[in-house]
C-alpha cells in the first residue's frame, strides 16, 4: 500500500471519528428554564446568588451548584417536573450546614474591606463599618461569603467579623447602643484620651454601650473587647434615631464634612469613598440605607430630570452620569453625585469635591455635564431598595 493510500485511509477514519463526535448529544435541553429562573429571581448577581447548572448522567440530569434563594430553586424544580424531566437535586442551599448555625455576624473592626473573591488580592467590592450586622452563607479557607443590609454579596476575612448564632444576634440587637458621629476618631482603654488606643473608628459605627464614665461611653465590641468613646463624638443610638429629621440641608451638611476624603474604588466609609459609596454614606449618616452601586441607585427614587433642566432639582437629589443608550448599545451608568444647590453638585472624583453645571463658574465640570443622564429624588421616598432605619430595625430591635 502506497503512502498516499495509507494517508487517505487514515484521513477517512479520522473524518468518521470526528463526525461521530459532532453528532454526540451533550447539550442540556432545559438550559433555557435555568436561565429563565435566574433572570426572574437573580437578575443582579451582586445581590442574589443562583449558580445552578445541569450535568447529564445516563438517562437523567444532576442539578448542581448553590443558591441563597430557596424559592428560585423550588421554581426551577417545578418547571422541570412539569416538563417531565428526570433530575437529581444536588443544589446546595445556603447558608452552608458547615457553619454549624453561625449564620449571622457583626462587623468587628472600624471598616471591613469586602472583596469580590475570597482573597486579599481580589477587587475591593464594598466596605462595611463597625457594628453592621450581616448574613453569613459559607466559608472558604479563612474567608466568609456575607450579605450586607443593602443585600450586597461579598467576601470578608475572619478578622473582620464576629460570628454569631440566632440567639447571639438577638441578644446583640436587643442591647443598648451608641452611634459614632465624628468623621474619624479612636476608642480608648480608659475614660481618658491619653490612654491606650483600642482601635480607630469612623462615622456611622455602632457599638453596644454598657455604661458611662464621666464624659465617656463605655462600650463593648462584638468580640467582647471593651473600650471608651468620648460622649461629644457619639450619641445614644435610640436618641439619634428618634431625633433624626433628614432634610435637604442636613444632607448637604453631611456631604460637606467629607470634603477632600480620597477616592477609593469600593470605598463606602469616611476613610475613602468611590462615587456611589459617597452618596450611600451621606444617606446612611442621615438614617437611610440605599443601594450600593450607581447602577443600582439609579433604579430607586422619583424621576426628576433627564434634559439638564437643573432648576427642577432640590438639594439631596442624585445626579447620574454615563453613556446614553443607542440603537445598538444599552445605557450605562458609571458615576453619581448629589445636588447641593446653586447649580452645584458634590461627588467623589479623585477626592470628594464640588463641581458646577454653570459654564461661567470656576469649578465648571464640562466632562460630567456632557455625560449627564438623569436625576432621581430619594429623600422621603418609600420603596424596595430604600431602607429607613427608623422603620427597619437593622441595628437594634
Amino acid at each position: 500500500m502506497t503512502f498516499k493510500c495509507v494517508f487517505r485511509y487514515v484521513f477517512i477514519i479520522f473524518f468518521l471519528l470526528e463526525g461521530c463526535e459532532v453528532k454526540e448529544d451533550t447539550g442540556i435541553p432545559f438550559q433555557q428554564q435555568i436561565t429563565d429562573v435566574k433572570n426572574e429571581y437573580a437578575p443582579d448577581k451582586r445581590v442574589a446568588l443562583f449558580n445552578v447548572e445541569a450535568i447529564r448522567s445516563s438517562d437523567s440530569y444532576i442539578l448542581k451548584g448553590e443558591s441563597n434563594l430557596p424559592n428560585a430553586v423550588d421554581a426551577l424544580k417545578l418547571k422541570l417536573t412539569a416538563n417531565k424531566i428526570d433530575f437529581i437535586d444536588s443544589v446546595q442551599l445556603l447558608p452552608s450546614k458547615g457553619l454549624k448555625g453561625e449564620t449571622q455576624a457583626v462587623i468587628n473592626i472600624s471598616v471591613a474591606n469586602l472583596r469580590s473573591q475570597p482573597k486579599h488580592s481580589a477587587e475591593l467590592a464594598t466596605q462595611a463599618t463597625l457594628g453592621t450586622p450581616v448574613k453569613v452563607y459559607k466559608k472558604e479557607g479563612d474567608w466568609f461569603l456575607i450579605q450586607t443590609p443593602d443585600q450586597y454579596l461579598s467576601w470578608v476575612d475572619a478578622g473582620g467579623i464576629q460570628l454569631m448564632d440566632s440567639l447571639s444576634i438577638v441578644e446583640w440587637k436587643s442591647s443598648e447602643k451608641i452611634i459614632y458621629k465624628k468623621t474619624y476618631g479612636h476608642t480608648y482603654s480608659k475614660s481618658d484620651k491619653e490612654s491606650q488606643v483600642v482601635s480607630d473608628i469612623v462615622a456611622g459605627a455602632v457599638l453596644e454601650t454598657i455604661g458611662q464614665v464621666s464624659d465617656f461611653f463605655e462600650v463593648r465590641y462584638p468580640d467582647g473587647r471593651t473600650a471608651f468613646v468620648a460622649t461629644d463624638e457619639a450619641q445614644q443610638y435610640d436618641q439619634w434615631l428618634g431625633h433624626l429629621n433628614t432634610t435637604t440641608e442636613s444632607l448637604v451638611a453631611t456631604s460637606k464634612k467629607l470634603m477632600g476624603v480620597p477616592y477609593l474604588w469600593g470605598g463606602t466609609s469616611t476613610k475613602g469613598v468611590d462615587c456611589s459609596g459617597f452618596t450611600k454614606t451621606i444617606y446612611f449618616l442621615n438614617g437611610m440605607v440605599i443601594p450600593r452601586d450607581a447602577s443600582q441607585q439609579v433604579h430607586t427614587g422619583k424621576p426628576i430630570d433627564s434634559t439638564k433642566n437643573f432648576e427642577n432639582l432640590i438639594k439631596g437629589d442624585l445626579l447620574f452620569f454615563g453613556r446614553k443608550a443607542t440603537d445598538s448599545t444599552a445605557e450605562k451608568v458609571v458615576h453619581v453625585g448629589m445636588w447641593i444647590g446653586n447649580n452645584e453638585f458634590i461627588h467623589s472624583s479623585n477626592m470628594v469635591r464640588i463641581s458646577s453645571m454653570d459654564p461661567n463658574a470656576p469649578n465648571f465640570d464640562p466632562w460630567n455635564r456632557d455625560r449627564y443622564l438623569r436625576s432621581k429624588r430619594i429623600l422621603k421616598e418609600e420603596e424596595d431598595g430604600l431602607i429607613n432605619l427608623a422603620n427597619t430595625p437593622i441595628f437594634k430591635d
Side-chain angles (χ1 to χ4, degrees):
M1 184 180 291
T2 67
F3 175 80
K4 183 180 292 184
C5 290
V6 172
F7 179 81
R8 182 177 298 171
Y9 180 73
V10 173
F11 177 79
I12 290 171
I13 293 175
F14 179 77
F15 178 80
L16 291 174
L17 289 173
E18 282 293 287
C20 290
E21 289 181 7
V22 170
K23 291 180 180 178
E24 185 178 356
D25 180 16
T26 58
I28 303 300
F30 54 90
Q31 181 59 49
Q32 189 58 50
Q33 284 95 329
I34 296 176
T35 301
D36 289 344
V37 170
K38 186 170 186 176
N39 290 340
E40 179 180 356
Y41 290 89
D44 188 344
K45 65 181 182 180
R46 293 169 292 185
V47 297
L49 180 63
F50 187 78
N51 293 334
V52 176
E53 62 177 345
I55 298 176
R56 188 166 186 172
S57 174
S58 299
D59 294 329
S60 65
Y61 296 89
I62 301 174
L63 286 181
K64 298 184 68 176
E66 60 185 7
S67 177
N68 67 333
L69 306 171
N71 54 344
V73 175
D74 289 342
L76 176 59
K77 291 190 288 188
L78 285 174
K79 281 180 178 286
L80 301 185
T81 301
N83 285 277
K84 298 181 179 179
I85 297 173
D86 293 330
F87 64 92
I88 299 170
D89 180 12
S90 292
V91 177
Q92 181 183 8
L93 287 175
L94 300 177
S96 168
K97 293 180 181 179
L99 294 172
K100 299 180 180 180
E102 292 183 323
T103 59
Q104 307 286 331
V106 178
I107 300 299
N108 194 48
I109 55 179
S110 63
V111 178
N113 292 322
L114 311 184
R115 305 286 176 179
S116 59
Q117 298 293 329
K119 53 186 179 181
H120 285 292
S121 59
E123 173 191 35
L124 179 62
T126 189
Q127 293 179 322
T129 52
L130 176 64
T132 302
V134 299
K135 297 177 183 177
V136 183
Y137 287 124
K138 65 175 183 176
K139 181 181 181 183
E140 286 189 16
D142 203 35
W143 292 80
F144 293 87
L145 178 65
I146 64 170
Q147 190 168 37
T148 49
D150 58 12
Q151 305 305 307
Y152 219 77
L153 292 163
S154 52
W155 292 87
V156 63
D157 66 275
I161 57 174
Q162 177 63 38
L163 290 170
M164 296 185 181
D165 57 22
S166 57
L167 179 60
S168 298
I169 195 67
V170 168
E171 291 177 348
W172 181 84
K173 284 193 172 184
S174 64
S175 65
E176 294 299 317
K177 296 183 177 65
I178 62 158
I179 184 168
Y180 193 74
K181 298 173 66 176
K182 191 178 175 183
T183 303
Y184 183 82
H186 293 90
T187 63
Y188 301 91
S189 60
K190 298 179 181 179
S191 55
D192 180 357
K193 288 188 176 182
E194 298 301 318
S195 64
Q196 174 63 50
V197 168
V198 173
S199 179
D200 66 330
I201 189 169
V202 300
V206 174
L207 279 167
E208 179 183 355
T209 181
I210 53 178
Q212 185 171 339
V213 178
S214 185
D215 295 329
F216 287 81
F217 292 114
E218 186 175 6
V219 297
R220 180 185 290 121
Y221 280 75
D223 64 1
R225 287 174 294 162
T226 58
F228 291 86
V229 178
T231 55
D232 61 353
E233 297 178 4
Q235 187 176 3
Q236 291 279 358
Y237 183 82
D238 287 341
Q239 292 179 6
W240 173 76
L241 206 56
H243 291 88
L244 267 182
N245 181 27
T246 305
T247 65
T248 57
E249 296 300 333
S250 68
L251 291 170
V252 173
T254 299
S255 71
K256 289 184 176 180
K257 289 179 181 178
L258 304 184
M259 282 288 287
V261 168
Y263 180 92
L264 175 65
W265 177 270
T268 61
S269 73
T270 56
K271 287 186 176 182
V273 287
D274 60 22
C275 64
S276 55
F278 176 54
T279 52
K280 179 178 175 61
T281 298
I282 295 169
Y283 271 88
F284 174 67
L285 296 178
N286 281 274
M288 284 185 67
V289 176
I290 69 174
R292 168 64 184 93
D293 294 337
S295 58
Q296 297 170 315
Q297 293 175 9
V298 73
H299 296 298
T300 60
K302 181 193 301 181
I304 301 299
D305 172 68
S306 61
T307 61
K308 300 181 182 178
N309 198 8
F310 300 121
E311 57 265 29
N312 291 331
L313 274 58
I314 64 171
K315 298 173 183 178
D317 287 347
L318 298 185
L319 289 73
F320 296 93
F321 308 85
R323 183 187 67 199
K324 294 182 181 295
T326 67
D327 292 338
S328 58
T329 59
E331 177 183 270
K332 186 175 183 180
V333 177
V334 298
H335 190 58
V336 61
M338 191 184 80
W339 195 250
I340 60 173
N342 192 36
N343 257 335
E344 292 181 324
F345 64 100
I346 189 168
H347 58 138
S348 181
S349 178
N350 296 324
M351 67 179 76
V352 174
R353 65 176 69 237
I354 294 174
S355 297
S356 177
M357 290 296 188
D358 182 358
N360 297 315
N363 58 339
F364 175 52
D365 189 342
W367 165 243
N368 279 311
R369 183 183 171 92
D370 287 346
R371 63 175 185 161
Y372 170 79
L373 297 173
R374 61 177 49 82
S375 296
K376 304 291 286 288
R377 183 167 300 156
I378 62 176
L379 180 61
K380 308 298 184 183
E381 295 296 312
E382 296 183 5
E383 59 181 72
D384 290 342
L386 300 177
I387 301 173
N388 188 324
L389 291 177
N391 303 327
T392 306
I394 289 177
F395 293 89
K396 190 175 185 302
D397 288 335

